[in-house]
Amino acid sequence: EAQVTQNPRYLITVTGKKLTVTCSQNMNHEYMSWYRQDPGLGLRQIYYSMNVEVTDKGDVPEGYKVSRKEKRNFPLILESPSPNQTSLYFCASSSYAGNTEAFFGQGTRLTVV
Amino acid sequence: QKEVEQDPGPLSVPEGAIVSLNCTYSNSAFQYFMWYRQYSRKGPELLMYTYSSGNKEDGRFTAQVDKSSKYISLFIRDSQPSDSATYLCAPASGGSYIPTFGRGTSLIVHP
């Protein structure tokens, strides 16, 4: 089954404690991205990756890091989380051979206290 | 001005009603127009995809794009309680295919 898998689904952490949210896709997609979704603000892109070892900033990259060492994985790293990073996070992947459908993971609800 | 504007709602309608959901955008480079549906506690899923101006119909759903006025619409006929979700419009340019998402409109269809 084609899918994008995020882990964990729920996470409560404390300010300053480094964390990683993993994202894996099994569709051999070139393009992957991370979004955060906040009430009233919709989906905002954090980082995206066009292919292995190619990453770029989205609209709200501050406080986040990503890496793309393998095609299937695109982890999101929060080196020093702060309460304003409390949000719902989505990973998405797509292939751009004329295919415009983005497949989303189930989401990670992060709370930073 | 945001690149993609969408009224967040909520829009509440009775079962069986015709629903009209709308977006405006500012980027003339957008050529692909997607609608995603997001149920509570789930990731968005592609509902409809249209290339350039015109209409596209899929069952009870019709997507309409007017590039001259930069206006995107999604119509739902005979709406059902199972249509209750947030609908996000997401246009993309032909170069990157990377969608720009609107804030989403929350739709509630009550029995």
Side-chain angles (χ1 to χ4, degrees), chain A residues 68-95:
Chain A
R68 188 89 182 273
K69 292 183 170 54
E70 307 163 281
K71 201 171 189 179
R72 63 182 292 126
N73 296 322
F74 190 45
L76 179 70
I77 303 155
L78 284 72
E79 294 270 5
S80 182
S82 62
N84 65 12
Q85 293 178 298
T86 293
S87 187
L88 178 59
Y89 291 87
F90 287 102
C91 178
S93 75
S94 61
S95 170

PDB file of all heavy atoms in Angstrom, chain A residues 68-95:
ATOM      1  N   ARG A  68      18.122  14.782   3.990  1.00  0.00           N
ATOM      2  CA  ARG A  68      17.599  13.824   2.996  1.00  0.00           C
ATOM      3  C   ARG A  68      18.784  12.981   2.511  1.00  0.00           C
ATOM      4  O   ARG A  68      19.359  13.204   1.457  1.00  0.00           O
ATOM      5  CB  ARG A  68      16.958  14.581   1.833  1.00  0.00           C
ATOM      6  CG  ARG A  68      16.214  13.671   0.856  1.00  0.00           C
ATOM      7  CD  ARG A  68      14.803  13.460   1.206  1.00  0.00           C
ATOM      8  NE  ARG A  68      14.111  12.557   0.309  1.00  0.00           N
ATOM      9  CZ  ARG A  68      13.514  12.934  -0.812  1.00  0.00           C
ATOM     10  NH1 ARG A  68      13.569  14.191  -1.231  1.00  0.00           N
ATOM     11  NH2 ARG A  68      12.868  12.042  -1.536  1.00  0.00           N
ATOM     12  N   LYS A  69      19.134  12.009   3.317  1.00  0.00           N
ATOM     13  CA  LYS A  69      20.262  11.137   2.989  1.00  0.00           C
ATOM     14  C   LYS A  69      19.816   9.969   2.118  1.00  0.00           C
ATOM     15  O   LYS A  69      20.622   9.370   1.388  1.00  0.00           O
ATOM     16  CB  LYS A  69      20.925  10.629   4.264  1.00  0.00           C
ATOM     17  CG  LYS A  69      21.638  11.731   5.055  1.00  0.00           C
ATOM     18  CD  LYS A  69      22.349  11.169   6.262  1.00  0.00           C
ATOM     19  CE  LYS A  69      23.261  12.173   6.916  1.00  0.00           C
ATOM     20  NZ  LYS A  69      22.581  13.428   7.259  1.00  0.00           N
ATOM     21  N   GLU A  70      18.543   9.603   2.225  1.00  0.00           N
ATOM     22  CA  GLU A  70      17.988   8.525   1.404  1.00  0.00           C
ATOM     23  C   GLU A  70      16.699   9.056   0.790  1.00  0.00           C
ATOM     24  O   GLU A  70      16.056   9.929   1.360  1.00  0.00           O
ATOM     25  CB  GLU A  70      17.639   7.307   2.252  1.00  0.00           C
ATOM     26  CG  GLU A  70      18.745   6.794   3.128  1.00  0.00           C
ATOM     27  CD  GLU A  70      18.168   5.882   4.194  1.00  0.00           C
ATOM     28  OE1 GLU A  70      17.622   6.391   5.181  1.00  0.00           O
ATOM     29  OE2 GLU A  70      18.224   4.654   4.006  1.00  0.00           O
ATOM     30  N   LYS A  71      16.322   8.470  -0.336  1.00  0.00           N
ATOM     31  CA  LYS A  71      15.140   8.950  -1.040  1.00  0.00           C
ATOM     32  C   LYS A  71      13.870   8.766  -0.212  1.00  0.00           C
ATOM     33  O   LYS A  71      12.972   9.599  -0.260  1.00  0.00           O
ATOM     34  CB  LYS A  71      15.007   8.200  -2.368  1.00  0.00           C
ATOM     35  CG  LYS A  71      14.155   8.904  -3.392  1.00  0.00           C
ATOM     36  CD  LYS A  71      14.266   8.201  -4.727  1.00  0.00           C
ATOM     37  CE  LYS A  71      13.598   9.007  -5.816  1.00  0.00           C
ATOM     38  NZ  LYS A  71      13.710   8.341  -7.136  1.00  0.00           N
ATOM     39  N   ARG A  72      13.766   7.705   0.540  1.00  0.00           N
ATOM     40  CA  ARG A  72      12.514   7.392   1.216  1.00  0.00           C
ATOM     41  C   ARG A  72      12.318   8.144   2.534  1.00  0.00           C
ATOM     42  O   ARG A  72      11.203   8.245   3.012  1.00  0.00           O
ATOM     43  CB  ARG A  72      12.414   5.890   1.464  1.00  0.00           C
ATOM     44  CG  ARG A  72      13.482   5.313   2.379  1.00  0.00           C
ATOM     45  CD  ARG A  72      13.330   3.807   2.517  1.00  0.00           C
ATOM     46  NE  ARG A  72      12.114   3.486   3.238  1.00  0.00           N
ATOM     47  CZ  ARG A  72      11.167   2.666   2.779  1.00  0.00           C
ATOM     48  NH1 ARG A  72      11.293   2.093   1.594  1.00  0.00           N
ATOM     49  NH2 ARG A  72      10.087   2.403   3.495  1.00  0.00           N
ATOM     50  N   ASN A  73      13.378   8.676   3.122  1.00  0.00           N
ATOM     51  CA  ASN A  73      13.281   9.275   4.459  1.00  0.00           C
ATOM     52  C   ASN A  73      13.563  10.771   4.461  1.00  0.00           C
ATOM     53  O   ASN A  73      14.482  11.243   3.770  1.00  0.00           O
ATOM     54  CB  ASN A  73      14.258   8.597   5.416  1.00  0.00           C
ATOM     55  CG  ASN A  73      13.925   7.139   5.636  1.00  0.00           C
ATOM     56  OD1 ASN A  73      12.750   6.768   5.716  1.00  0.00           O
ATOM     57  ND2 ASN A  73      14.948   6.299   5.723  1.00  0.00           N
ATOM     58  N   PHE A  74      12.800  11.486   5.283  1.00  0.00           N
ATOM     59  CA  PHE A  74      12.962  12.945   5.364  1.00  0.00           C
ATOM     60  C   PHE A  74      12.628  13.377   6.793  1.00  0.00           C
ATOM     61  O   PHE A  74      11.543  13.887   7.069  1.00  0.00           O
ATOM     62  CB  PHE A  74      12.036  13.614   4.349  1.00  0.00           C
ATOM     63  CG  PHE A  74      12.264  15.085   4.150  1.00  0.00           C
ATOM     64  CD1 PHE A  74      13.539  15.609   4.010  1.00  0.00           C
ATOM     65  CD2 PHE A  74      11.185  15.967   4.066  1.00  0.00           C
ATOM     66  CE1 PHE A  74      13.751  16.959   3.803  1.00  0.00           C
ATOM     67  CE2 PHE A  74      11.380  17.311   3.862  1.00  0.00           C
ATOM     68  CZ  PHE A  74      12.664  17.820   3.731  1.00  0.00           C
ATOM     69  N   PRO A  75      13.554  13.198   7.721  1.00  0.00           N
ATOM     70  CA  PRO A  75      13.272  13.539   9.118  1.00  0.00           C
ATOM     71  C   PRO A  75      13.263  15.044   9.376  1.00  0.00           C
ATOM     72  O   PRO A  75      14.014  15.798   8.737  1.00  0.00           O
ATOM     73  CB  PRO A  75      14.426  12.864   9.876  1.00  0.00           C
ATOM     74  CG  PRO A  75      15.538  12.777   8.873  1.00  0.00           C
ATOM     75  CD  PRO A  75      14.876  12.569   7.547  1.00  0.00           C
ATOM     76  N   LEU A  76      12.436  15.458  10.308  1.00  0.00           N
ATOM     77  CA  LEU A  76      12.362  16.857  10.758  1.00  0.00           C
ATOM     78  C   LEU A  76      12.980  16.925  12.149  1.00  0.00           C
ATOM     79  O   LEU A  76      12.582  16.184  13.042  1.00  0.00           O
ATOM     80  CB  LEU A  76      10.904  17.320  10.806  1.00  0.00           C
ATOM     81  CG  LEU A  76      10.655  18.744  11.288  1.00  0.00           C
ATOM     82  CD1 LEU A  76      11.162  19.748  10.245  1.00  0.00           C
ATOM     83  CD2 LEU A  76       9.165  18.969  11.551  1.00  0.00           C
ATOM     84  N   ILE A  77      13.935  17.823  12.307  1.00  0.00           N
ATOM     85  CA  ILE A  77      14.689  17.924  13.553  1.00  0.00           C
ATOM     86  C   ILE A  77      14.422  19.273  14.207  1.00  0.00           C
ATOM     87  O   ILE A  77      14.536  20.322  13.557  1.00  0.00           O
ATOM     88  CB  ILE A  77      16.199  17.765  13.280  1.00  0.00           C
ATOM     89  CG1 ILE A  77      16.471  16.424  12.578  1.00  0.00           C
ATOM     90  CG2 ILE A  77      16.997  17.864  14.587  1.00  0.00           C
ATOM     91  CD1 ILE A  77      17.731  16.408  11.767  1.00  0.00           C
ATOM     92  N   LEU A  78      14.078  19.233  15.485  1.00  0.00           N
ATOM     93  CA  LEU A  78      13.952  20.444  16.279  1.00  0.00           C
ATOM     94  C   LEU A  78      15.085  20.409  17.297  1.00  0.00           C
ATOM     95  O   LEU A  78      15.034  19.641  18.252  1.00  0.00           O
ATOM     96  CB  LEU A  78      12.586  20.526  16.966  1.00  0.00           C
ATOM     97  CG  LEU A  78      11.390  20.909  16.085  1.00  0.00           C
ATOM     98  CD1 LEU A  78      10.997  19.775  15.135  1.00  0.00           C
ATOM     99  CD2 LEU A  78      10.208  21.323  16.954  1.00  0.00           C
ATOM    100  N   GLU A  79      16.108  21.204  17.079  1.00  0.00           N
ATOM    101  CA  GLU A  79      17.309  21.166  17.925  1.00  0.00           C
ATOM    102  C   GLU A  79      17.005  21.667  19.333  1.00  0.00           C
ATOM    103  O   GLU A  79      17.472  21.111  20.315  1.00  0.00           O
ATOM    104  CB  GLU A  79      18.415  22.031  17.311  1.00  0.00           C
ATOM    105  CG  GLU A  79      18.952  21.511  15.984  1.00  0.00           C
ATOM    106  CD  GLU A  79      20.132  20.568  16.163  1.00  0.00           C
ATOM    107  OE1 GLU A  79      20.484  20.248  17.317  1.00  0.00           O
ATOM    108  OE2 GLU A  79      20.717  20.142  15.149  1.00  0.00           O
ATOM    109  N   SER A  80      16.214  22.715  19.437  1.00  0.00           N
ATOM    110  CA  SER A  80      15.877  23.286  20.738  1.00  0.00           C
ATOM    111  C   SER A  80      14.429  23.767  20.690  1.00  0.00           C
ATOM    112  O   SER A  80      14.169  24.961  20.502  1.00  0.00           O
ATOM    113  CB  SER A  80      16.828  24.446  21.072  1.00  0.00           C
ATOM    114  OG  SER A  80      16.539  24.973  22.359  1.00  0.00           O
ATOM    115  N   PRO A  81      13.494  22.840  20.861  1.00  0.00           N
ATOM    116  CA  PRO A  81      12.081  23.192  20.700  1.00  0.00           C
ATOM    117  C   PRO A  81      11.622  24.287  21.659  1.00  0.00           C
ATOM    118  O   PRO A  81      12.102  24.363  22.814  1.00  0.00           O
ATOM    119  CB  PRO A  81      11.360  21.878  20.990  1.00  0.00           C
ATOM    120  CG  PRO A  81      12.377  20.817  20.827  1.00  0.00           C
ATOM    121  CD  PRO A  81      13.685  21.431  21.191  1.00  0.00           C
ATOM    122  N   SER A  82      10.706  25.104  21.187  1.00  0.00           N
ATOM    123  CA  SER A  82      10.117  26.149  22.023  1.00  0.00           C
ATOM    124  C   SER A  82       8.594  26.030  21.941  1.00  0.00           C
ATOM    125  O   SER A  82       8.066  25.411  21.009  1.00  0.00           O
ATOM    126  CB  SER A  82      10.569  27.526  21.546  1.00  0.00           C
ATOM    127  OG  SER A  82      10.132  27.754  20.228  1.00  0.00           O
ATOM    128  N   PRO A  83       7.884  26.607  22.907  1.00  0.00           N
ATOM    129  CA  PRO A  83       6.419  26.480  22.923  1.00  0.00           C
ATOM    130  C   PRO A  83       5.747  26.948  21.641  1.00  0.00           C
ATOM    131  O   PRO A  83       4.684  26.420  21.277  1.00  0.00           O
ATOM    132  CB  PRO A  83       6.012  27.333  24.132  1.00  0.00           C
ATOM    133  CG  PRO A  83       7.181  27.223  25.059  1.00  0.00           C
ATOM    134  CD  PRO A  83       8.390  27.226  24.158  1.00  0.00           C
ATOM    135  N   ASN A  84       6.326  27.908  20.916  1.00  0.00           N
ATOM    136  CA  ASN A  84       5.680  28.369  19.677  1.00  0.00           C
ATOM    137  C   ASN A  84       5.806  27.355  18.533  1.00  0.00           C
ATOM    138  O   ASN A  84       5.286  27.588  17.433  1.00  0.00           O
ATOM    139  CB  ASN A  84       6.198  29.742  19.242  1.00  0.00           C
ATOM    140  CG  ASN A  84       7.668  29.755  18.865  1.00  0.00           C
ATOM    141  OD1 ASN A  84       8.287  28.706  18.716  1.00  0.00           O
ATOM    142  ND2 ASN A  84       8.231  30.931  18.710  1.00  0.00           N
ATOM    143  N   GLN A  85       6.479  26.247  18.791  1.00  0.00           N
ATOM    144  CA  GLN A  85       6.530  25.159  17.816  1.00  0.00           C
ATOM    145  C   GLN A  85       5.493  24.080  18.114  1.00  0.00           C
ATOM    146  O   GLN A  85       5.443  23.055  17.432  1.00  0.00           O
ATOM    147  CB  GLN A  85       7.942  24.565  17.754  1.00  0.00           C
ATOM    148  CG  GLN A  85       8.946  25.547  17.178  1.00  0.00           C
ATOM    149  CD  GLN A  85      10.351  24.997  17.146  1.00  0.00           C
ATOM    150  OE1 GLN A  85      10.955  24.685  18.174  1.00  0.00           O
ATOM    151  NE2 GLN A  85      10.901  24.866  15.950  1.00  0.00           N
ATOM    152  N   THR A  86       4.678  24.334  19.115  1.00  0.00           N
ATOM    153  CA  THR A  86       3.534  23.462  19.367  1.00  0.00           C
ATOM    154  C   THR A  86       2.599  23.564  18.168  1.00  0.00           C
ATOM    155  O   THR A  86       2.132  24.650  17.836  1.00  0.00           O
ATOM    156  CB  THR A  86       2.807  23.886  20.651  1.00  0.00           C
ATOM    157  OG1 THR A  86       3.661  23.633  21.771  1.00  0.00           O
ATOM    158  CG2 THR A  86       1.496  23.119  20.822  1.00  0.00           C
ATOM    159  N   SER A  87       2.349  22.440  17.522  1.00  0.00           N
ATOM    160  CA  SER A  87       1.589  22.472  16.271  1.00  0.00           C
ATOM    161  C   SER A  87       1.289  21.050  15.812  1.00  0.00           C
ATOM    162  O   SER A  87       1.713  20.077  16.425  1.00  0.00           O
ATOM    163  CB  SER A  87       2.394  23.215  15.195  1.00  0.00           C
ATOM    164  OG  SER A  87       1.635  23.411  14.018  1.00  0.00           O
ATOM    165  N   LEU A  88       0.549  20.965  14.707  1.00  0.00           N
ATOM    166  CA  LEU A  88       0.296  19.701  14.024  1.00  0.00           C
ATOM    167  C   LEU A  88       1.187  19.684  12.785  1.00  0.00           C
ATOM    168  O   LEU A  88       1.110  20.593  11.966  1.00  0.00           O
ATOM    169  CB  LEU A  88      -1.179  19.596  13.648  1.00  0.00           C
ATOM    170  CG  LEU A  88      -1.628  18.359  12.886  1.00  0.00           C
ATOM    171  CD1 LEU A  88      -1.330  17.089  13.680  1.00  0.00           C
ATOM    172  CD2 LEU A  88      -3.114  18.458  12.573  1.00  0.00           C
ATOM    173  N   TYR A  89       2.017  18.660  12.670  1.00  0.00           N
ATOM    174  CA  TYR A  89       2.999  18.596  11.592  1.00  0.00           C
ATOM    175  C   TYR A  89       2.628  17.492  10.598  1.00  0.00           C
ATOM    176  O   TYR A  89       2.249  16.394  10.986  1.00  0.00           O
ATOM    177  CB  TYR A  89       4.397  18.311  12.158  1.00  0.00           C
ATOM    178  CG  TYR A  89       4.948  19.468  12.939  1.00  0.00           C
ATOM    179  CD1 TYR A  89       4.663  19.630  14.298  1.00  0.00           C
ATOM    180  CD2 TYR A  89       5.744  20.430  12.320  1.00  0.00           C
ATOM    181  CE1 TYR A  89       5.157  20.700  15.020  1.00  0.00           C
ATOM    182  CE2 TYR A  89       6.242  21.506  13.026  1.00  0.00           C
ATOM    183  CZ  TYR A  89       5.937  21.638  14.377  1.00  0.00           C
ATOM    184  OH  TYR A  89       6.425  22.707  15.081  1.00  0.00           O
ATOM    185  N   PHE A  90       2.772  17.821   9.319  1.00  0.00           N
ATOM    186  CA  PHE A  90       2.513  16.853   8.263  1.00  0.00           C
ATOM    187  C   PHE A  90       3.716  16.742   7.345  1.00  0.00           C
ATOM    188  O   PHE A  90       4.309  17.742   6.946  1.00  0.00           O
ATOM    189  CB  PHE A  90       1.302  17.257   7.418  1.00  0.00           C
ATOM    190  CG  PHE A  90      -0.006  17.088   8.103  1.00  0.00           C
ATOM    191  CD1 PHE A  90      -0.670  18.174   8.638  1.00  0.00           C
ATOM    192  CD2 PHE A  90      -0.580  15.833   8.209  1.00  0.00           C
ATOM    193  CE1 PHE A  90      -1.881  18.021   9.273  1.00  0.00           C
ATOM    194  CE2 PHE A  90      -1.796  15.657   8.846  1.00  0.00           C
ATOM    195  CZ  PHE A  90      -2.443  16.764   9.383  1.00  0.00           C
ATOM    196  N   CYS A  91       4.027  15.509   6.999  1.00  0.00           N
ATOM    197  CA  CYS A  91       5.007  15.224   5.968  1.00  0.00           C
ATOM    198  C   CYS A  91       4.239  14.864   4.696  1.00  0.00           C
ATOM    199  O   CYS A  91       3.152  14.259   4.767  1.00  0.00           O
ATOM    200  CB  CYS A  91       5.883  14.055   6.406  1.00  0.00           C
ATOM    201  SG  CYS A  91       7.112  13.541   5.208  1.00  0.00           S
ATOM    202  N   ALA A  92       4.760  15.243   3.535  1.00  0.00           N
ATOM    203  CA  ALA A  92       4.109  14.926   2.269  1.00  0.00           C
ATOM    204  C   ALA A  92       5.157  14.536   1.238  1.00  0.00           C
ATOM    205  O   ALA A  92       6.316  14.968   1.314  1.00  0.00           O
ATOM    206  CB  ALA A  92       3.295  16.117   1.762  1.00  0.00           C
ATOM    207  N   SER A  93       4.750  13.716   0.278  1.00  0.00           N
ATOM    208  CA  SER A  93       5.659  13.359  -0.808  1.00  0.00           C
ATOM    209  C   SER A  93       4.894  13.361  -2.123  1.00  0.00           C
ATOM    210  O   SER A  93       3.674  13.179  -2.155  1.00  0.00           O
ATOM    211  CB  SER A  93       6.289  11.985  -0.569  1.00  0.00           C
ATOM    212  OG  SER A  93       5.370  10.936  -0.829  1.00  0.00           O
ATOM    213  N   SER A  94       5.609  13.596  -3.207  1.00  0.00           N
ATOM    214  CA  SER A  94       5.010  13.534  -4.536  1.00  0.00           C
ATOM    215  C   SER A  94       6.095  13.290  -5.565  1.00  0.00           C
ATOM    216  O   SER A  94       7.279  13.502  -5.316  1.00  0.00           O
ATOM    217  CB  SER A  94       4.245  14.811  -4.864  1.00  0.00           C
ATOM    218  OG  SER A  94       5.098  15.927  -4.853  1.00  0.00           O
ATOM    219  N   SER A  95       5.649  12.849  -6.721  1.00  0.00           N
ATOM    220  CA  SER A  95       6.546  12.665  -7.851  1.00  0.00           C
ATOM    221  C   SER A  95       6.237  13.755  -8.847  1.00  0.00           C
ATOM    222  O   SER A  95       5.067  14.046  -9.088  1.00  0.00           O
ATOM    223  CB  SER A  95       6.305  11.294  -8.495  1.00  0.00           C
ATOM    224  OG  SER A  95       6.994  11.193  -9.714  1.00  0.00           O
TER     225      SER A  95
END
